[in-house]
Amino acid sequence: ALMLLFGWLGIILAEKGGFKMPILKKFENGEKILKSDYKILLIPCILGFAFAIITYLTSFFVDVPKNPGNIFVRILTTPWAGLVTETVSHLFVVSAIYLLIKNRWISIILSSLLFVVLFHLNGMDYEVSVAVILVSANFLASVLTGWIYSKYGYESAVLAHASMHLVMLTLN
């Protein structure tokens, strides 16, 4: 129910803030979605994969904890993580902050800080070096997907997040 509420409010706020949802808009308007319309998803997907691989390489220098569950269960969380996180932290929060302060970068950074505090600091019981790397990686990932949301649209941010999630959980 909260996801639906954040999504509904996020769509309203995103439209007022001028944020894009190019593929979903076409779908909503009953327009034909062409293969060429999906090209907007390519760069964000590549960025998501690249960020995840670079982040994964840090695990060779620091003992990063393994994610719980078997690989099948972890991979199944990929679409959920992308949809929920991008809907709440970017579609809703970035759009709302942007309407208040009219600065996209500050909106993205504030939303990313809020995301890290709410989703990644709770229950974190690691040594300081590991905690710093995990918090930094999640903050930077949120900034990246926030920028993708701002530049390419909501669908692109969801796909980039899901790409990161898929790579990280598979490799981890």
Side-chain angles (χ1 to χ4, degrees):
L2 281 175
M3 176 68 178
L4 290 173
L5 178 64
F6 282 124
W8 177 69
L9 291 172
I11 289 169
I12 293 168
L13 297 171
E15 286 180 354
K16 288 184 180 185
F19 292 98
K20 300 180 271 187
M21 290 176 261
I23 296 170
L24 291 174
K25 267 295 179 210
K26 277 190 159 187
F27 178 77
E28 179 185 34
N29 294 332
E31 299 174 36
K32 184 174 180 161
I33 301 170
L34 307 172
K35 288 180 184 177
S36 61
D37 292 327
Y38 291 105
K39 283 195 285 186
I40 196 168
L41 303 174
L42 184 60
I43 291 173
C45 188
I46 291 169
L47 290 171
F49 280 122
F51 184 87
I53 290 168
I54 291 167
T55 303
Y56 173 73
L57 293 175
T58 64
S59 68
F60 292 113
F61 304 104
V62 177
D63 188 24
V64 177
K66 301 296 180 212
N67 289 303
N70 65 45
I71 192 167
F72 183 70
V73 170
R74 292 191 319 247
I75 290 172
L76 285 177
T77 66
T78 296
W80 175 255
L83 280 170
V84 171
T85 304
E86 295 310 314
T87 298
V88 175
S89 68
H90 293 124
L91 185 66
F92 177 71
V93 176
V94 166
S95 300
I97 294 172
Y98 176 75
L99 288 173
L100 293 172
I101 64 173
K102 303 291 188 226
N103 184 304
R104 288 185 187 237
W105 275 110
I106 293 174
S107 302
I108 291 167
I109 290 168
L110 289 175
S111 172
S112 297
L113 287 171
L114 187 62
F115 166 73
V116 168
V117 168
L118 292 177
F119 290 104
H120 290 284
L121 283 183
N122 57 353
M124 191 176 276
D125 189 26
Y126 306 116
E127 62 182 73
V128 174
S129 62
V130 174
V132 167
I133 287 174
L134 291 174
V135 167
S136 298
N138 281 293
F139 173 75
L140 292 173
S142 184
V143 169
L144 176 62
T145 55
W147 172 78
I148 289 168
Y149 167 63
S150 177
K151 181 162 177 66
Y152 296 101
Y154 171 72
E155 308 94 322
S156 295
V158 170
L159 184 61
H161 188 122
S163 297
M164 282 185 237
H165 205 81
L166 179 65
V167 171
M168 292 301 297
L169 292 181
T170 302
L171 294 175
N172 187 267

